[in-house]
């Protein structure tokens, strides 16, 4: 799909459909009023007769628009003008993408940048437009014998009121396309079943990113190398599996040599049976999504490569299966992590924290300015936040503010939950330094606290995406979250 920037008088631009904002107010405003004037009041009459309304997310087509070069208009309700912001823009765009999706229209022009309200500038309008339309166009049909029908819309023009806005629209559209490419990759990896998306597959995808784009280095560690590094915690999870484990290290150096990188660690459990502490059968297929943290990291790295972003980011992805078997780790087994801390494994289903423990220790060798881990870590986080917000855990208020802001700007939101030391108390062990299982209450926070013992520093944050990485039921599939949040964070990074 293409997103050309368009200049010139709106009503004289040739298109099958002009997408016009309709605010909940009369008379008509801004660019929609200009179209109305050119059409001799056709839009106002249409609205007055009750065919369209400014209610957020309502859409209506005006066919055979007179006096303009647009064959039709799609009026999209944007709510009250004073309340229009990033969130409202996303709702309006989603409504437009579905309305156009139900037609055979091949090209349209969007005029949102003519009416930018507070907080939604031309750059952001373009970025959000590209992300929304690309997301609507996403299909996962690579494993079907007949492909799903492709969307008809091939070109969405972004109309610029002036040259400066045109440049901002171009920049926003380019960022949006890179983010969409990252989201699409994260969704593909999440959606691929565990018999396709193995740890070695994740490593192959990382190698492809490293060779397709500039500024990447790649290192893939096998089990023998992890053994030599003393990664007893990570390796304990893969013991029951035939499929070999991998530690993928993808190093992007787009910034100055002396600038400390951001480290991203993504949980890559390609299938989580629970191990000996085996899970019940219901919805167990969804545990193929337990590598969505890894997918989010690889998606983000790809987007950075697309943009040639001027920063340094290292992705560290521990990848393995969590299987039962005669060689699998037993409840009560004690392992020594790379950090030297010993762990009593009381529940083999609390495996995400075990692989991330060694990945976090490994990531510290890059002397990162920030370490952020991303994981489908706990059912408790889904209970707390549902499928709306990602759980954010950090003791660093500055970093929390940056991540929360990135979430609301990108509409890939996070909500902060606590990780203070109280949550560590329930993980006491009589036999090892501590256990991998805490109290039933506050399970998302005790899991986060476990990780903090390995990050051991300020500048660390944990994103629990157990609720947000995929949808279930009829809409079952990976969402690509939190690639938009991470990209927004990295593009607006404050290193102080
Ligand atoms: N991958 C799961 C977390 C999960 C469960 C995500 C359901 C999304 C939906 C994780 O490895 C896990 O099994 N966590 C356990 C931890 C418990 C044993 C302390 C959980 O949340 O039940
Ligand atoms: Mn588990
Ligand atoms: Zn898991």
């Amino acid at each position: 799909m293409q997103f050309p920037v368009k200049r010139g008088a709106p009503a004289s631009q040739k298109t099958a459909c002009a997408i016009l904002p309709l605010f909940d107010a009369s008379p008509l405003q801004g660019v929609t009023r200009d179209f109305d004037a050119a059409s001799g009041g056709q839009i106002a009459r249409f609205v007055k007769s009750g065919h369209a309304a400014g209610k957020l997310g309502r859409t209506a087509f005006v066919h055979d628009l007179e006096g303009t070069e647009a064959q039709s208009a799609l009026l999209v309700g944007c709510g009250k003008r004073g309340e229009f912001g990033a969130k409202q823009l996303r709702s309006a765009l989603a409504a437009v993408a579905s309305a156009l999706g139900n037609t055979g229209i091949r090209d349209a022009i969007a005029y949102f940048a003519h009416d930018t309200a507070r907080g939604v500038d031309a750059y952001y309008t373009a970025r959000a437009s590209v992300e929304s339309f690309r997301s609507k166009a996403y299909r996962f049909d690579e494993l079907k014998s007949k492909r799903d029908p492709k969307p008809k819309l091939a070109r969405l023009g972004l109309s610029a009121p002036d040259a400066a806005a045109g440049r901002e629209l171009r920049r926003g559209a380019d960022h949006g396309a890179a983010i969409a490419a990252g989201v699409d990759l994260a969704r593909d990896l999440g959606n691929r079943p565990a018999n396709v998306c193995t740890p070695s597959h994740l490593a192959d995808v990382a190698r492809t990113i490293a060779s397709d784009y500039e500024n990447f280095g790649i290192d893939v560690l096998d089990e023998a190398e992890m053994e030599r590094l003393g990664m007893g915690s990570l390796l304990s999870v893969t013991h029951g599996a035939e499929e070999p484990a991998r530690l993928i290290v993808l190093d992007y150096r787009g910034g100055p040599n002396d600038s400390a990188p951001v480290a991203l660690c993504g949980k890559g459990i390609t299938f989580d049976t629970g191990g000996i502490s085996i899970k019940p059968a219901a919805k167990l297929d969804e545990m193929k999504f337990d590598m969505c943290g890894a997918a989010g990291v690889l998606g983000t790295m790809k987007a950075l490569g697309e943009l040639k972003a001027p920063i340094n980011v290292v992705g560290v992805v521990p990848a393995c299966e969590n299987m039962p078997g005669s060689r699998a780790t037993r409840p009560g087994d004690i392992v020594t992590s790379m950090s030297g801390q010993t762990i009593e494994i009381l529940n083999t289903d609390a495996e995400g924290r075990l692989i991330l423990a060694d990945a976090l220790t490994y990531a510290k060798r890059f002397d990162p300015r920030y370490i952020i881990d991303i994981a489908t870590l706990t059912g408790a986080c889904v209970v707390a936040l549902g499928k709306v917000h990602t759980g954010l855990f950090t003791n660093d208020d500055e970093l929390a503010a940056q991540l929360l802001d990135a979430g609301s700007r990108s509409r890939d939101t996070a909500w902060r939950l606590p990780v203070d030391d109280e949550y560590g108390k329930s993980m006491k062990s009589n036999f090892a330094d501590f256990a991998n299982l805490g109290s039933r209450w506050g399970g998302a926070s005790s899991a986060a606290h476990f990780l903090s013992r390995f990050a051991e520093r300020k500048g660390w944050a944990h994103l629990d995406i157990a609720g947000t990485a995929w949808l279930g039921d009829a809409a079952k599939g990976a969402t690509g979250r939190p690639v938009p949040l991470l990209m927004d964070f990295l593009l607006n990074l404050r290193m102080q």
Side-chain angles (χ1 to χ4, degrees):
M1 199 183 281
Q2 293 178 325
F3 299 91
V5 171
K6 299 279 186 186
R7 285 289 314 283
S12 59
Q13 288 169 348
K14 268 198 173 16
T15 180
C17 183
I19 300 163
L20 302 174
L22 185 61
F23 287 100
D24 203 355
S26 83
L28 296 175
Q29 306 189 339
V31 72
T32 309
R33 188 188 51 212
D34 298 345
F35 268 87
D36 183 56
S39 71
Q42 197 183 344
I43 296 175
R45 286 195 297 279
F46 188 81
V47 173
K48 196 160 175 217
S49 67
H51 285 93
K55 192 169 171 298
L56 185 63
R58 276 273 294 269
T59 55
F61 283 99
V62 185
H63 298 288
D64 305 316
L65 199 61
E66 309 276 328
T68 81
E69 291 294 319
Q71 287 166 28
S72 67
L74 175 58
L75 299 174
V76 52
C78 290
K80 294 206 169 45
R81 207 190 153 82
E83 291 170 6
F84 193 73
K87 187 173 179 175
Q88 289 72 18
L89 175 66
R90 295 274 174 169
S91 309
L93 285 168
V96 169
S98 336
L100 284 177
N102 296 330
T103 72
I105 291 175
R106 288 169 176 285
D107 78 282
I109 299 181
Y111 290 89
F112 287 106
H114 290 254
D115 275 308
T116 51
R118 252 174 302 134
V120 202
D121 55 14
Y123 162 82
Y124 185 80
T125 301
R127 198 177 99 185
S129 301
V130 174
E131 287 181 51
S132 298
F133 278 82
R134 286 276 303 263
S135 162
K136 183 79 188 170
Y138 176 83
R139 303 281 184 277
F140 184 76
D141 55 8
E142 65 184 32
L143 299 171
K144 293 182 177 175
S145 58
K146 286 197 189 67
R147 294 289 162 112
D148 293 337
K150 289 260 175 296
K152 294 277 186 300
L153 190 71
R155 239 179 347 274
L156 179 73
L158 304 168
S159 178
D162 53 50
R167 285 191 293 276
E168 285 298 284
L169 283 171
R170 187 69 267 147
R171 192 169 69 89
D174 291 345
H175 285 196
I179 295 168
V183 167
D184 284 0
L185 174 63
R187 292 177 80 174
D188 280 348
L189 293 174
N191 289 333
R192 281 177 195 151
N195 62 331
V196 174
C197 185
T198 59
S200 315
H201 177 76
L202 291 174
D204 287 343
V205 168
R207 284 194 194 93
T208 306
I209 294 171
S211 69
D212 283 355
Y213 300 99
E214 287 164 32
N215 304 326
F216 278 101
I218 172 110
D219 201 4
V220 177
L221 281 60
D222 64 16
E223 290 176 18
E225 286 163 295
M226 291 187 250
E227 189 87 58
R228 279 199 288 281
L229 288 166
M231 296 185 162
S233 183
L234 195 169
L235 289 169
S236 74
V237 177
T238 196
H239 273 165
E242 203 70 54
E243 194 64 47
R246 294 285 182 262
L247 182 72
I248 303 159
V249 185
L250 188 54
D251 193 2
Y252 175 75
R253 298 279 158 175
N257 278 334
D258 59 352
S259 150
V262 173
L264 301 176
C265 294
K267 172 178 173 182
I269 295 291
T270 58
F271 197 80
D272 183 12
T273 65
I276 297 298
S277 314
I278 200 159
K279 287 182 181 292
K283 294 192 181 175
L284 195 49
D285 65 294
E286 294 188 14
M287 282 299 116
K288 73 172 181 176
F289 295 118
D290 212 18
M291 34 53 68
C292 283
V297 171
L298 295 178
T300 301
M301 301 303 286
K302 177 174 174 140
L304 291 172
E306 284 270 344
L307 281 181
K308 298 196 170 76
I311 43 173
N312 298 330
V313 180
V314 53
V316 178
V317 171
C320 70
E321 285 184 347
N322 185 21
M323 301 292 273
S326 60
R327 287 169 43 82
T329 295
R330 296 145 290 241
D333 284 3
I334 293 174
V335 297
T336 304
S337 65
M338 184 180 172
S339 71
Q341 301 175 98
T342 63
I343 306 160
E344 182 184 15
I345 299 177
L346 288 179
N347 189 317
T348 62
D349 197 12
E351 85 296 341
R353 62 196 79 179
L354 293 173
I355 65 168
L356 285 169
D358 285 337
L360 287 167
T361 303
Y362 188 84
K364 287 197 282 189
R365 64 167 56 189
F366 296 95
D367 250 330
R369 175 65 187 87
Y370 295 118
I371 302 189
I372 299 165
D373 74 74
I374 304 105
T376 49
L377 202 66
T378 65
C381 190
V382 194
V383 172
L385 300 176
K387 293 194 154 283
V388 179
H389 304 294
T390 290
L392 166 64
F393 302 80
T394 176
N395 287 322
D396 185 329
D397 292 343
E398 210 319 278
L399 179 56
Q402 289 194 53
L403 288 164
L404 291 170
D405 285 351
S408 39
R409 273 191 305 262
S410 62
R411 297 315 305 159
D412 177 6
T413 51
W415 201 274
R416 193 172 177 186
L417 293 170
V419 249
D420 43 279
D421 286 341
E422 287 297 302
Y423 291 100
K425 289 187 177 158
S426 65
M427 286 179 289
K428 286 214 168 90
S429 164
N430 287 347
F431 309 107
D433 293 350
F434 44 86
N436 77 331
L437 185 68
S439 141
R440 194 161 122 64
W441 313 119
S445 290
S446 47
H449 189 274
F450 181 96
L451 297 177
S452 75
R453 295 177 187 264
F454 297 88
E456 280 182 313
R457 67 209 289 283
K458 263 191 105 74
W460 163 77
H462 156 61
L463 294 171
D464 193 332
I465 56 168
T468 52
W470 75 88
L471 301 174
D473 304 320
K476 195 191 284 183
T479 59
R481 291 176 72 177
V483 172
L485 181 158
L486 289 172
M487 281 305 292
D488 194 293
F489 166 74
L490 293 169
L491 291 170
N492 292 288
L493 199 58
R494 292 194 301 273
M495 288 287 236
Q496 300 79 345

